[in-house]
Amino acid sequence: MELKTESIQLADCFAVLMRQNDHYILVSIALDGEWELKRVLQWLDLHEVRLFHPTQDTLILSNVQDVIDAVTFQGYPLVLVEKGTNVLFVGPEYLEEVTDEYEHYHKITNTASAESLEIEDE
């Protein structure tokens, strides 16, 4: 069984997804930059990342204040929300598909065939 991870940026965090067989699961959240523990805990108290199975149906987001960022990766809607008490609806057809932006990281570059660079001091 091959396990593969992907890190997808949503605003100031990265959702780390693991591909297991034919589907993705959310395994962790990485925050951009260096954060103190207190700030991480405050962020986790106010925010949540949600991963949905591929669908054409409207996403129902309960217990939210607002949607901060939302994209689709490999057809899976991925949403960063601010927690709250509202119910919001998001049409997956309006989400940007970001898969192609991450695909170039899977290419292997043979550095032996790369050209050398000359760096000149000013």
Side-chain angles (χ1 to χ4, degrees):
M1 173 173 49
E2 179 184 346
L3 298 176
K4 179 180 173 184
T5 60
E6 304 278 359
S7 295
I8 311 303
Q9 186 168 9
L10 293 167
D12 61 351
C13 72
F14 292 84
V16 181
L17 309 179
M18 181 178 290
R19 182 176 181 94
Q20 182 179 23
N21 299 323
D22 64 344
H23 67 279
Y24 283 94
I25 56 174
L26 178 65
V27 292
S28 68
I29 300 167
L31 299 171
D32 192 21
E34 294 183 25
W35 291 44
E36 292 182 8
L37 179 59
K38 183 178 180 179
R39 185 173 172 209
V40 171
L41 295 175
Q42 289 171 337
W43 189 94
L44 290 171
D45 192 42
L46 297 174
H47 301 88
E48 184 177 2
V49 175
R50 299 181 187 178
L51 176 68
F52 297 87
H53 290 286
T55 183
Q56 296 303 316
D57 296 333
T58 299
L59 305 174
I60 301 170
L61 306 173
S62 57
N63 299 317
V64 299
Q65 181 62 35
D66 197 12
V67 173
I68 297 171
D69 199 1
V71 297
T72 303
F73 179 76
Q74 296 286 351
Y76 286 75
L78 190 58
V79 182
L80 171 62
V81 300
E82 180 182 349
K83 296 177 184 178
T85 57
N86 299 324
V87 175
L88 300 177
F89 301 92
V90 175
E93 68 273 14
Y94 298 109
L95 303 182
E96 178 185 4
E97 175 60 60
V98 297
T99 302
D100 289 342
E101 295 176 29
Y102 292 90
E103 286 302 310
H104 69 275
Y105 293 109
H106 298 293
K107 295 180 182 175
I108 297 173
T109 302
N110 182 355
T111 57
S113 64
E115 295 181 26
S116 62
L117 294 175
E118 285 187 37
I119 300 174
E120 297 179 11
D121 292 331
E122 291 185 29

